[in-house]
Amino acid sequence: MMKRMIPLNLLLGLSILATGNAAAQTEALQEYSLPGMNVTALGYEKSNLETPADVTVYSGEELKKTGANDVANALKYKAGVYFTQMGPHDQSFITGNSTLSLRGIKGGTLVLINGVPASFNNVSHLDMMNLDTVEKVEVVKGGGAVLYGSEAYGGVINVITKNEYKNSLHIAAGNKGQRDYSAAIGAGKMGITLERNEMGETGILTQKQGTKTINGVKVPYYTGFGDSKKDHLGVNYKFDDKLSFNYMFDKKKYTIDYLGADNSKLQHFDYDDREHFAQLHFNDQNGFDATAYYNERIIRNPDYYIVRPDNLEWERSDHKNYGADFKKVWQNDKDKVLLGFNTKRELYVDENQKFASFGNSSSALKPYARFGSYSLNGYSFYGQYDRKLSEATDVVLSMREDLIRSDAGNYNAFLPQLQILTKLDQENSLYAN
């Protein structure tokens, strides 16, 4: 079975969610998804057909069938998911970031890992997350701001990790220095995943970019990527049926070279990005759910001219966010009530020492500069009432109050939402937001 979205051009944004036989479509357009339950769209478990949102659920095994090893490169084949990169191995010049978004809305896609925000300033590195760690991915297209805040106005991608791992080992090699090593280890209550991906030098990839002054002589330059590596470590420990701990470490190290016409190196950049994600999750199976988390991203960007390797330009930044989320669900045959509260703190600092003159190997360095630390505290209260009006029709009223206190200023935001859904039959439903 599959779930198909057919939008109608109505002012209320009505949409039909259809479930049909995959054989009814051509092989090239097949999209497989789990027909069952999702937890992301409404904050509690509900079937896709009864959810007033465009939700698609992909199992980790389904995503592996794309041939990709990581979440981002598997999702890029799915309808409505936009993925951009500038070079092989998901490299991009200077920033090193590939971009994943829903419905083409830049900066409006919230990435979650087990329901916890995993983005740093709208940047998330799902290209570093091995599919061996993934149980399923729930993709909600459209605004999710009431439950998740304004970062989710384009949609939500929630990666749900496995509680248990099967023992496995994978080794692969290709040309251009491509290497891929991964292992998964299941040991009772603990699971561990390890991965390394490597790529060799590409040589010149661009047209002429301009000129650089090397020892007083203007030289045309081009751009290419040098060696690159991506490392991943995942650890999961299940204390019991209620309490679990999850930790992930991701590291990507890219090199970028400015090259002469003869492929000789003129200037060399390193990009070192390290991310830590730690979560402690409690669920009592009776509607109470609590998560405490700590995320950190550390970036190092040194570069130098080949003729003056001792004259080093550099930048370092550190971005931390940590917090907790608590929610409780009460339900009976006709009603569901969700109440929640979350709090978070973000810290950011950047320091650097740049060349005084751009594109000149003889340039001196500017004085040391530091920006921050900048901080932000956020507090959110949210609630939701889900009422079954009949066997076919549900109405959902949601609201959220955000209180933001930061060095850049303070603001409050109240976000209400009304949703109505009617099941037309066992395979179709009609909803309005």
Side-chain angles (χ1 to χ4, degrees):
M1 302 294 284
M2 65 169 288
K3 182 176 176 181
R4 187 170 65 246
M5 179 57 116
I6 308 173
L8 302 177
N9 293 324
L10 300 179
L11 290 177
L12 289 178
L14 298 178
S15 300
I16 292 179
L17 301 179
T19 308
N21 194 311
Q25 298 192 15
T26 64
E27 184 69 23
L29 296 179
Q30 285 187 356
E31 181 176 284
Y32 299 96
S33 61
L34 295 178
M37 314 294 280
N38 76 83
V39 297
T40 303
L42 294 175
Y44 43 75
E45 194 171 79
K46 203 162 188 179
S47 72
N48 291 357
L49 189 66
E50 296 178 307
T51 301
D54 181 4
V55 184
T56 310
V57 184
Y58 304 105
S59 72
E61 295 305 313
E62 289 175 32
L63 293 175
K64 283 184 178 181
K65 292 177 182 179
T66 63
N69 293 323
D70 60 79
V71 175
N73 278 284
L75 287 179
K76 72 182 182 182
Y77 297 107
K78 305 304 181 181
V81 179
Y82 293 80
F83 180 70
T84 59
Q85 64 192 72
M86 295 179 65
H89 214 208
D90 309 310
Q91 298 159 320
S92 294
F93 293 114
I94 306 301
T95 64
N97 299 322
S98 56
T99 302
L100 195 70
S101 61
L102 298 175
R103 303 193 305 161
I105 299 177
K106 185 177 181 181
T109 298
L110 179 64
V111 173
L112 308 174
I113 298 177
N114 298 323
V116 172
S119 300
F120 296 94
N121 194 26
N122 292 316
V123 173
S124 57
H125 287 155
L126 291 182
D127 60 300
M128 296 164 67
M129 191 169 184
N130 190 312
L131 287 174
D132 286 335
T133 69
V134 176
E135 178 68 29
K136 62 180 179 177
V137 178
E138 297 180 355
V139 179
V140 182
K141 300 168 190 171
V146 172
L147 283 181
Y148 299 106
S150 58
E151 287 180 274
Y153 70 87
V156 178
I157 298 173
N158 188 12
V159 182
I160 299 172
T161 59
K162 293 179 179 178
N163 286 324
E164 297 179 356
Y165 298 122
K166 294 180 180 179
N167 295 327
S168 64
L169 179 65
H170 171 81
I171 300 174
N175 65 343
K176 296 291 184 181
Q178 295 180 81
R179 301 290 185 269
D180 184 16
Y181 316 95
S182 65
I185 304 168
K189 293 183 177 182
M190 177 175 286
I192 301 173
T193 56
L194 298 162
E195 182 180 27
R196 163 164 280 198
N197 299 114
E198 299 179 0
M199 174 72 77
E201 295 185 359
T202 63
I204 293 175
L205 282 182
T206 66
Q207 296 180 336
K208 176 183 173 183
Q209 301 287 291
T211 61
K212 287 187 175 290
T213 303
I214 308 297
N215 289 337
V217 179
K218 288 190 178 296
V219 179
Y221 75 90
Y222 306 78
T223 310
F225 290 104
D227 294 334
S228 63
K229 296 180 178 67
K230 290 195 287 188
D231 294 312
H232 172 83
L233 166 66
V235 178
N236 186 78
Y237 189 82
K238 190 173 183 180
F239 296 93
D240 52 37
D241 291 338
K242 297 180 180 180
L243 185 65
S244 61
F245 174 76
N246 182 274
Y247 170 76
M248 287 191 299
F249 170 74
D250 293 322
K251 175 184 174 181
K252 60 169 61 175
K253 187 171 183 179
Y254 293 158
T255 59
I256 301 169
D257 293 316
Y258 287 166
L259 306 168
D262 59 356
N263 219 35
S264 61
K265 295 180 182 180
L266 306 176
Q267 189 176 2
H268 176 86
F269 287 82
D270 281 322
Y271 179 88
D272 189 311
D273 190 332
R274 306 181 185 203
E275 298 177 359
H276 301 268
F277 302 96
Q279 302 173 5
L280 186 64
H281 179 233
F282 177 84
N283 187 308
D284 67 0
Q285 313 300 320
N286 292 313
F288 179 71
D289 189 282
T291 303
Y293 66 93
Y294 176 87
N295 303 335
E296 183 174 13
R297 183 186 187 199
I298 305 165
I299 301 175
R300 302 290 183 263
N301 291 343
D303 70 274
Y304 57 87
Y305 288 94
I306 302 302
V307 296
R308 292 187 65 194
D310 57 323
N311 195 36
L312 189 70
E313 179 184 58
W314 58 271
E315 182 173 13
R316 294 191 292 261
S317 63
D318 192 349
H319 193 167
K320 300 175 184 177
N321 62 66
Y322 53 90
D325 183 87
F326 308 90
K327 65 183 178 184
K328 170 69 176 176
V329 177
W330 297 266
Q331 61 181 321
N332 56 36
D333 292 342
K334 289 189 175 182
D335 305 289
K336 278 189 179 180
V337 176
L338 178 150
L339 293 177
F341 167 76
N342 67 55
T343 178
K344 67 177 180 179
R345 179 168 175 80
E346 295 188 31
L347 297 168
Y348 178 79
V349 62
D350 182 275
E351 51 187 347
N352 64 64
Q353 194 167 18
K354 298 288 190 178
F355 288 126
S357 177
F358 177 78
N360 190 333
S361 68
S362 301
S363 175
L365 292 171
K366 293 180 180 178
Y368 163 82
R370 178 185 173 92
F371 304 92
S373 299
Y374 300 108
S375 64
L376 177 151
N377 294 319
Y379 311 93
S380 301
F381 304 86
Y382 56 93
Q384 189 162 271
Y385 177 59
D386 187 337
R387 172 74 175 178
K388 183 175 285 296
L389 300 180
S390 68
E391 287 301 315
T393 302
D394 286 24
V395 61
V396 182
L397 175 64
S398 311
M399 57 193 67
R400 180 187 181 96
E401 178 73 21
D402 282 331
L403 309 175
I404 304 298
R405 302 294 180 261
S406 75
D407 296 333
N410 303 326
Y411 75 86
N412 302 342
F414 177 68
L415 304 168
Q417 184 177 44
L418 177 65
Q419 300 169 294
I420 302 173
L421 177 141
T422 296
K423 288 191 292 183
L424 303 179
D425 52 41
Q426 295 303 311
E427 296 183 343
N428 301 279
S429 61
L430 185 72
Y431 72 83
N433 287 334

